[in-house]
Amino acid sequence: MHPSGDNSTGVRVPVLVQQLSYELTRFSHLFAHHHGLHATDVDALAHLHQAALRGEQMTPSRLAASIELSAPATTALLRRLAASGHVERTPHPDDGRRQVLTLTDTARQVAGSFFGPLAQALRASLRDLDDAEVAVVERWLASATEQARELADRT
């Protein structure tokens, strides 16, 4: 039973999501520490990775907006990431005055070796669920992510 006496279905979900979020953030900070990166650098790399998964081009201004950094702070961040060999800047195919940001092969390999075991552990956590249950988890995570995004956008 919940401390407030509420034992309704789903009441623990926000607490469990918060705990998972904390552990994922801690894991991300360990990655940053092991590789001499700032937490913001790792956030930027994650946004670049997600954009690539969606097939979207990431520009410095889009990155700045997505991680809520000023233009000067984003410039400093991109200089660090380029100097460390994690990010490449190439001319935008439609507008040579703009740049497209991409993760380097090195960044993908380093991140894959560190975050790969986490992905395996998360997949392993689903091993006792059947396909229909996994589909429910996927649907809920997508919906919860969208709800959190919309709330953040309104705040």
Side-chain angles (χ1 to χ4, degrees), residues 12-22 140-141 144:
R12 291 185 54 226
V13 170
V15 172
L16 292 170
V17 169
Q18 184 181 34
Q19 290 170 349
L20 175 60
S21 176
Y22 166 75
W140 180 81
L141 285 170

Coordinates of all heavy atoms in Angstrom, one line a residue, residues 12-22 140-141 144:
R12 N 2.5 4.1 -8.2 CA 4.0 4.0 -8.0 C 4.8 4.4 -9.3 O 6.0 4.6 -9.2 CB 4.4 2.6 -7.6 CG 4.0 2.2 -6.2 CD 4.5 0.9 -5.7 NE 5.9 0.8 -5.9 CZ 6.5 -0.3 -6.4 NH1 5.9 -1.3 -6.8 NH2 7.9 -0.3 -6.5
V13 N 4.1 4.5 -10.4 CA 4.8 4.7 -11.7 C 5.6 6.0 -11.7 O 6.8 5.9 -12.0 CB 3.8 4.6 -12.9 CG1 4.4 5.1 -14.1 CG2 3.2 3.2 -13.0
P14 N 5.1 7.1 -11.3 CA 5.9 8.3 -11.2 C 7.2 8.2 -10.4 O 8.2 8.7 -10.8 CB 5.0 9.4 -10.7 CG 3.6 8.9 -11.1 CD 3.7 7.4 -10.9
V15 N 7.0 7.5 -9.2 CA 8.2 7.3 -8.4 C 9.2 6.4 -9.0 O 10.4 6.7 -9.0 CB 7.8 6.8 -7.0 CG1 9.0 6.4 -6.2 CG2 6.9 7.8 -6.3
L16 N 8.7 5.4 -9.6 CA 9.7 4.4 -10.3 C 10.3 5.1 -11.5 O 11.5 4.9 -11.8 CB 8.9 3.2 -10.8 CG 8.4 2.3 -9.6 CD1 7.5 1.2 -10.1 CD2 9.6 1.7 -8.9
V17 N 9.6 5.9 -12.3 CA 10.2 6.7 -13.4 C 11.2 7.6 -12.9 O 12.3 7.8 -13.5 CB 9.1 7.4 -14.2 CG1 9.7 8.3 -15.2 CG2 8.2 6.3 -15.0
Q18 N 10.9 8.3 -11.8 CA 11.9 9.2 -11.2 C 13.2 8.5 -10.8 O 14.3 9.0 -11.0 CB 11.3 9.9 -10.0 CG 12.2 11.0 -9.4 CD 11.6 11.7 -8.2 OE1 10.9 11.1 -7.4 NE2 11.9 12.9 -8.0
Q19 N 13.0 7.3 -10.2 CA 14.2 6.5 -9.8 C 15.0 6.1 -11.0 O 16.2 6.2 -11.0 CB 13.8 5.3 -9.0 CG 13.2 5.7 -7.6 CD 12.6 4.5 -6.9 OE1 12.3 3.4 -7.5 NE2 12.3 4.7 -5.6
L20 N 14.3 5.6 -12.1 CA 15.0 5.3 -13.3 C 15.7 6.5 -13.9 O 16.9 6.4 -14.3 CB 14.0 4.7 -14.3 CG 14.6 4.3 -15.7 CD1 15.7 3.3 -15.6 CD2 13.4 3.8 -16.6
S21 N 15.0 7.6 -13.9 CA 15.6 8.8 -14.5 C 16.9 9.2 -13.7 O 17.9 9.5 -14.3 CB 14.6 10.0 -14.4 OG 15.2 11.2 -14.8
Y22 N 16.8 9.1 -12.4 CA 18.0 9.3 -11.6 C 19.2 8.4 -12.0 O 20.3 8.8 -12.1 CB 17.7 9.2 -10.1 CG 18.9 9.1 -9.2 CD1 19.7 10.3 -9.0 CD2 19.4 7.9 -8.8 CE1 20.8 10.3 -8.2 CE2 20.6 7.9 -8.0 CZ 21.3 9.0 -7.8 OH 22.5 9.0 -7.0
W140 N 3.5 3.0 -23.7 CA 3.5 3.9 -22.5 C 4.7 4.8 -22.5 O 4.5 6.0 -22.2 CB 3.4 3.1 -21.2 CG 3.3 4.0 -20.0 CD1 2.2 4.7 -19.6 CD2 4.4 4.5 -19.3 NE1 2.6 5.5 -18.6 CE2 3.9 5.4 -18.3 CE3 5.8 4.2 -19.3 CZ2 4.7 6.1 -17.4 CZ3 6.6 4.8 -18.3 CH2 6.1 5.8 -17.4
L141 N 5.9 4.3 -22.7 CA 7.1 5.1 -22.7 C 7.0 6.2 -23.7 O 7.3 7.4 -23.5 CB 8.3 4.3 -22.9 CG 8.8 3.5 -21.7 CD1 9.9 2.5 -22.1 CD2 9.2 4.4 -20.6
A144 N 4.3 8.7 -22.4 CA 4.8 9.5 -21.3 C 5.9 10.5 -21.7 O 5.9 11.6 -21.2 CB 5.4 8.5 -20.2

